[in-house]
Amino acid sequence: MDTLQLAAAARCLDHQIAQQVIQGISDAPGGIYLHTAKTHIALIVQRAPLGLWQDTAFHKSDALTTWSSPLNQRLAGFRIQRISVPWADRIVRLDCSRVHISKRLDQFSLIAECFGGRGNIALLDAAQHIRWAWRWDSLDGKAAPRFLPGVVYVPPEDSLSFAQPLPCAATWFRRVAPRYRPQHRAEQQAIQEAWSRRLDPCAPWWRSSAEADKPILYPVPLPGWAPMQEISAQEALRFVRPAVHPQPSAQERARTQQRLHLQRRIQKMRQDITRWKDPEVYRTQAFALFALPDAMPSVTHISAPDHTSVAGATLTIPVTPGKSLHRQAQWYMQQAQRSRRARREIAIRLQEMERLLQDLTEATGGEQTGPATGSSTPADPTPVRSAKNGKPTDDSDFNRTVIEGFTLLWGKNAKENDRLTFRTAKPWDLWFHIQDLGGSHVVLRRENSQTPVPESVRVAAARIALQQSQSRAISGEVDWTEIRHVHRKPSGGPGQVTYRRFQSIRVRRDG
């Protein structure tokens, strides 16, 4: 709501609920609810729909009473004297009073500054001192304390009173949101005259469906938004709750992150394959340089006959000035071997990653998040590095499984255990091992140290550690901790570790 919409809503609701007693106050998304015997008023200072609304479908059982509890304790039982927008700004004022049992008159005013992404709600006493206040600093932020108690509330300096004459039309039109302001003088005068003729506090509003997803509601007809349909004020001020999208569970978030990680790795592997030329190209360039007399070139490119061409084509080969041609020919032969080996290994790993992605997609019902495996979306240019020594990591060399979206890895022997724990795992990953016996190191991958791991996943990881150990008992104790608490045993062999700050869990074998 802009200032005119807010003022029209305040006048209508003041006419309807003046002298009603506040029975309670509870949280609303980005604001508060005021409950009376006849209606429920939604005062929204942050998020959408911004402004002052009437919620006829409110259910008290749905109300939250967290940060607004102190306000509910102070205002419950007070009678609403007036709802107004006293300044030409998006500031709502509710004046409330109560006759104390000792005949003393208690007076409070509730001030709500409706500024969209940033909003404030403050409770003032009769002397305009702030007794309670909260704020919202962003659309995603929660309510937080705003002012020091006892500070005198002062409206913004540029807020002009509705009661005083405004100096010019431009100042008057500051009340109108920029998107609604007409450009022509005749249209501006029409809006001003229509506003001055609104003598009935609950006069009809006007609705335009020019924007299908969000109809325009305004207390006066807007030039340029035709056609506009006349509707009742009760319909215009009906509170429409914002759609609440269910938050994904920790398992769903973990699966999504794992799927995105696999997609980025697949994209990176495909880019790596394209960077390597066909080994025969390097080989051809090497043979062409070997066929030339050995010399020290002084240029960056050299022409040489292509021995593979029947027509006697010529190759243009990049060379390094000051380095003999035959040494550079040997380098091209080495590049041919590297290219063949790299393309072969990347193809194997790419096939494995695509298989894992397909298994994960099938396990989650075929849902897809982010770019598809064949998308040309740029991949993360930074290779995945290990937490310990900065060398590239690769999960495909270890035994692995996916449980509820979490990846579990374990080694087959002491060397693999050592490499998994100290080169592949991240400091925040979880580490599992059978207690006091030899066995595989089991690593449970996490996105970060704050990623919660369900107990069922920890039990599954501990069961794998038991099954991949020297123990032949039906059940056993498995220790687990974060990788950052695991260290190589001094003078110990591969896979021998010491660890601290661990917990233990007792599990049984499968079957």
Side-chain angles (χ1 to χ4, degrees), residues 67-79:
W67 65 270
S68 62
S69 294
L71 184 61
N72 177 58
Q73 295 172 1
R74 297 197 183 195
L75 279 185
F78 275 71
R79 191 177 301 274

Side-chain angles (χ1 to χ4, degrees), residues 212-507:
D213 58 335
K214 187 177 181 182
I216 303 302
L217 302 173
Y218 215 74
V220 296
L222 290 171
W225 293 88
M228 298 195 76
Q229 176 187 4
E230 186 175 325
I231 61 173
S232 65
Q234 288 73 19
E235 183 180 356
L237 297 178
R238 186 173 66 248
F239 181 65
V240 179
R241 299 192 183 192
V244 178
H245 301 287
Q247 295 295 325
S249 64
Q251 293 84 354
E252 292 173 342
R253 291 196 298 270
R255 284 194 294 265
T256 299
Q257 291 295 330
Q258 185 180 18
R259 186 162 49 247
L260 292 175
H261 174 66
L262 288 175
Q263 291 170 350
R264 287 194 295 267
R265 291 200 59 181
I266 289 172
Q267 188 70 21
K268 181 69 166 54
M269 289 179 183
R270 289 177 173 169
Q271 292 178 350
D272 288 342
I273 287 181
T274 59
R275 292 193 188 102
W276 286 101
K277 296 180 182 179
D278 188 340
E280 291 303 320
V281 173
Y282 291 115
R283 195 182 302 275
T284 301
Q285 293 173 330
F287 287 152
L289 291 179
F290 275 129
L292 297 176
D294 196 12
M296 297 287 185
S298 59
V299 295
T300 58
H301 290 79
I302 193 169
S303 298
D306 183 3
H307 70 281
T308 63
S309 174
V310 179
T314 301
L315 294 175
T316 300
I317 306 173
V319 294
T320 302
K323 187 176 181 180
S324 70
L325 293 180
H326 286 184
R327 288 189 60 188
Q328 298 191 55
Q330 294 175 355
W331 180 84
Y332 275 111
M333 289 296 293
Q334 294 173 355
Q335 284 295 97
Q337 296 176 358
R338 295 191 188 103
S339 176
R340 183 176 64 255
R341 183 169 58 251
R343 289 164 68 94
R344 182 180 63 252
E345 293 180 358
I346 292 174
I348 295 174
R349 295 179 183 178
L350 179 60
Q351 185 178 5
E352 176 68 15
M353 292 296 105
E354 290 177 341
R355 184 186 63 79
L356 291 174
L357 180 60
Q358 182 179 359
D359 293 344
L360 182 61
T361 303
E362 292 175 354
T364 55
E367 57 181 294
Q368 284 285 347
T369 303
T373 56
S375 170
S376 60
T377 303
D380 186 355
T382 304
V384 179
R385 301 281 175 179
S386 72
K388 304 283 182 173
N389 56 14
K391 295 183 180 180
T393 65
D394 185 12
D395 296 350
S396 61
D397 294 339
F398 306 104
N399 292 316
R400 62 181 295 139
T401 186
V402 178
I403 299 177
E404 296 186 25
F406 289 89
T407 300
L408 301 176
L409 307 172
W410 64 93
K412 297 186 289 289
N413 50 51
K415 290 185 178 180
E416 285 195 4
N417 287 338
D418 189 88
R419 185 156 55 90
L420 172 62
T421 300
F422 298 109
R423 295 182 59 184
T424 301
K426 304 296 188 298
W428 51 83
D429 291 340
L430 300 185
W431 182 87
F432 296 78
H433 194 276
I434 186 69
Q435 192 177 86
D436 299 331
L437 290 172
S440 295
H441 296 191
V442 179
V443 172
L444 190 153
R445 287 289 206 183
R446 293 198 298 174
E447 288 298 320
N448 52 59
S449 59
Q450 304 301 319
T451 303
V453 179
E455 183 178 0
S456 59
V457 180
R458 295 200 303 269
V459 170
R463 186 173 291 116
I464 293 174
L466 173 62
Q467 293 173 340
Q468 301 297 324
S469 70
Q470 296 176 355
S471 173
R472 294 298 176 261
I474 298 177
S475 63
E477 294 284 340
V478 174
D479 297 337
W480 65 277
T481 183
E482 290 186 345
I483 288 290
R484 60 194 178 96
H485 299 314
V486 182
H487 305 280
R488 285 190 174 95
K489 185 177 181 179
S491 303
Q496 296 185 4
V497 300
T498 60
Y499 51 91
R500 54 192 176 87
R501 296 184 184 179
F502 64 92
Q503 300 182 50
S504 299
I505 181 173
R506 188 167 189 86
V507 292

Side-chain angles (χ1 to χ4, degrees), residues 113-135:
E113 298 177 338
C114 308
F115 296 145
R118 175 179 59 86
N120 306 311
I121 292 181
L123 183 66
L124 315 181
D125 59 16
Q128 304 302 298
H129 292 94
I130 297 173
R131 295 304 177 191
W132 177 96
W134 287 72
R135 71 179 181 192

